[in-house]
Amino acid sequence: MLKEKTIVLGVTGSIAAYKAVDIASRLTQSGARVDVIMTKAATEFVTPVTFQAITGRPVVIEMFSLSSEFSIEHISLAEAADVIVIAPATANIIAKLAAGIADDMLCCTVLASKAPVIVAPAMDANMFENPVTQDNLSKLKTRGFITVGPVSGRLASGKEGLGCLADATDIIGTICQVLGENSDLAGKHIVVTAGGTQEPIDPVRCLTNRSSGKMGYALAEAARDRGAKVTLITAPTWLTKPIGVKIIDVCTAQEMHQAVEDAVLQADALIMAAAVADYRPVRKLDEKMKRKDIGLTLELERTPDILSGIRGDFIKVGFAAESSNLVENAKQKLQQKGLDLIVANDITARDSGFGADNNRVTIVDREGKIDSLPLLPKREVADNVLDKVAELLDKR
Ligand code: CTP
């Protein structure tokens, strides 16, 4: 997604400037060309050398620097940028951009560029809430600037409040979303389910499984980065919720069933990556079950099979978690559940599947075409699945 993209990272004079180093590093590691423009005030918090070392690129501060590799810097950077990100953005830079002031390299570059601009404010909570800052931000949004954050947390003053720089993952997620806006899934609505459902036994115990949710979250992020509107219906996981995606939290198979039924009403594709419990306790106790000196038998009943029951004019993709006869069982599930595609994985493999960062899957389609992929990061598996979903959507 970020490979070979030119990202201009504007860093302004906020205490959160040090967090921009992490953003620059992660963008660079993802293959982006990161050109950092610092305001004078920013250099009081972090030195340009830090950014230069991290990005391997010259850092721009002065408007009229003879030693620079850029011709007329603000013009060449403005033209080269696929996206401009200002993180952290102080109240000062927000005000200057709103007023069209062009008295430093960052302002000039933004003014001269046609690239999308993402602004991640970070400042004292009172400064952020001040009507003049709010007015300035509204002006920027009206002109098409995208904002991310701020979030609540501990501020430089030591107080808690709304003014902290958004998380680096959310800023990078927003960059990916902006860059992918016109990609192959633009205008499509993809519903993804993720995680292992939890079926309560009593207020503290439940029946669940080892699904981490990583595959579903990777699918949701990949679809977002390819321009889709994404609804992620998620069972409880410890994963960070992706930005730019509509999140619906559920716990049980029954809740997931209801959420899927509602979401698919306007969906182009449903991808069921969740590990849905097949059985649930017949009774959920209101009080914690007490230990006794005899064994215990739990009476279980079937949960609804969400995929089998769901109907509608959308592409249906299922996953098949198998411990034997991978392709045979997957083909059977594809037939029984009326799917367009099924993604089968061998859950006995140690290096892939449940909980792992990688997955080795075989994708089977309705025509019986079998595509066995090598061991790949889940994000790459997600893109392979979405390639096929995009192909099917194109044919409709
Ligand atoms: N699934 C579902 N509703 C259920 C169980 C599973 O929609 N109650 C979906 C899963 O999200 C997955 C597909 O069906 O996309 C296959 O799930 P899997 O657990 O592999 O198979 P099951 O149908 O549960 O069959 P079995 O456990 O016997 O292999």
Side-chain angles (χ1 to χ4, degrees):
M1 185 77 231
L2 295 165
K3 258 194 189 100
E4 282 154 35
K5 298 285 187 217
T6 298
I7 299 172
V8 170
L9 175 62
V11 183
T12 67
S14 151
I15 193 86
Y18 75 94
K19 296 183 183 169
V21 177
D22 180 38
I23 298 171
S25 167
R26 286 163 65 173
L27 291 172
T28 306
Q29 284 177 53
S30 305
R33 193 178 94 145
V34 183
D35 283 317
V36 176
I37 304 177
M38 298 179 80
T39 60
K40 276 256 174 56
T43 62
E44 300 287 336
F45 293 91
V46 189
T47 71
V49 177
T50 311
F51 286 107
Q52 191 161 340
I54 291 276
T55 62
R57 312 264 318 146
V59 172
V60 182
I61 307 156
E62 301 289 345
M63 279 266 257
F64 308 104
S65 157
L66 291 175
S67 59
S68 168
E69 72 165 53
F70 303 104
S71 43
I72 303 176
E73 275 167 323
H74 64 280
I75 306 294
S76 61
L77 278 178
E79 278 175 0
D82 290 300
V83 60
I84 300 176
V85 189
I86 307 176
T90 55
N92 188 43
I93 189 80
I94 290 168
K96 288 208 284 185
L97 293 176
I101 292 171
D103 66 348
D104 66 14
M105 264 308 288
L106 185 54
C107 292
C108 287
T109 305
V110 172
L111 215 53
S113 183
K114 291 208 158 67
V117 184
I118 299 168
V119 175
M123 64 194 77
D124 172 68
N126 289 341
M127 284 171 85
F128 179 69
E129 279 156 20
N130 193 303
V132 73
T133 306
Q134 290 300 316
D135 258 14
N136 289 333
L137 271 170
S138 313
K139 268 187 205 159
L140 293 184
K141 283 188 208 167
T142 314
R143 289 185 211 142
F145 284 57
I146 301 121
T147 60
V148 49
V151 294
S152 290
R154 189 176 183 279
L155 302 165
S157 60
K159 291 185 191 152
E160 292 283 320
L162 184 64
C164 293
L165 184 68
D167 196 75
T169 306
D170 286 349
I171 294 173
I172 294 168
T174 307
I175 297 171
C176 292
Q177 191 184 2
V178 167
L179 289 172
E181 240 161 34
N182 300 315
S183 299
D184 57 349
L185 294 176
K188 305 292 183 206
H189 178 201
I190 313 270
V191 178
V192 181
T193 66
T197 61
Q198 295 184 350
E199 310 302 326
I201 297 169
D202 68 13
V204 293
R205 302 179 180 96
C206 67
L207 288 180
T208 187
N209 56 67
R210 293 183 202 278
S211 168
S212 63
K214 287 179 185 170
M215 193 61 242
Y217 277 55
L219 278 158
E221 283 177 11
R224 172 201 67 192
D225 295 350
R226 293 166 72 149
K229 173 182 157 200
V230 180
T231 301
L232 174 62
I233 300 170
T234 174
T237 76
W238 53 265
L239 301 172
T240 307
K241 307 263 162 74
I243 198 165
V245 160
K246 180 175 177 192
I247 304 282
I248 300 176
D249 287 299
V250 295
C251 196
T252 63
Q254 186 58 46
E255 286 167 14
M256 185 168 276
H257 189 196
Q258 188 56 53
V260 169
E261 278 197 337
D262 294 344
V264 294
L265 290 175
Q266 287 162 4
D268 295 287
L270 165 67
I271 309 180
M272 284 286 301
V276 186
D278 287 328
Y279 295 93
R280 65 185 165 213
V282 171
R283 277 172 298 280
K284 182 202 155 188
L285 302 177
D286 294 331
E287 305 267 336
K288 185 182 167 213
M289 193 192 293
K290 285 291 176 198
R291 174 160 43 95
K292 298 200 178 99
D293 285 337
I294 49 168
L296 171 73
T297 305
L298 272 181
E299 197 187 341
L300 304 179
E301 64 185 4
R302 272 303 320 257
T303 55
D305 186 323
I306 302 173
L307 262 182
S308 298
I310 213 101
R311 306 256 175 278
D313 184 27
F314 50 84
I315 304 292
K316 272 206 303 185
V317 183
F319 272 70
E322 304 297 340
S323 51
S324 61
N325 299 329
L326 187 72
V327 174
E328 278 324 299
N329 286 340
K331 278 183 170 171
Q332 226 172 43
K333 282 181 190 167
L334 181 131
Q335 288 275 326
Q336 281 166 357
K337 297 184 190 234
L339 307 179
D340 295 282
L341 287 177
I342 191 148
V343 185
N345 62 317
D346 177 357
I347 50 159
T348 61
R350 285 218 164 163
D351 54 355
S352 68
F354 273 41
D357 289 330
N358 299 320
N359 213 352
R360 186 184 288 107
V361 303
T362 299
I363 307 176
V364 184
D365 70 14
R366 235 182 231 263
E367 273 74 52
K369 190 167 162 255
I370 297 169
D371 199 354
S372 293
L373 302 178
L375 186 67
L376 292 171
K378 284 186 172 170
R379 172 58 193 251
E380 282 182 46
V381 173
D383 273 311
N384 274 281
V385 173
L386 291 174
D387 285 347
K388 297 203 185 289
V389 170
E391 238 173 74
L392 290 171
L393 286 171
D394 270 353
K395 282 189 199 151
R396 294 168 99 205

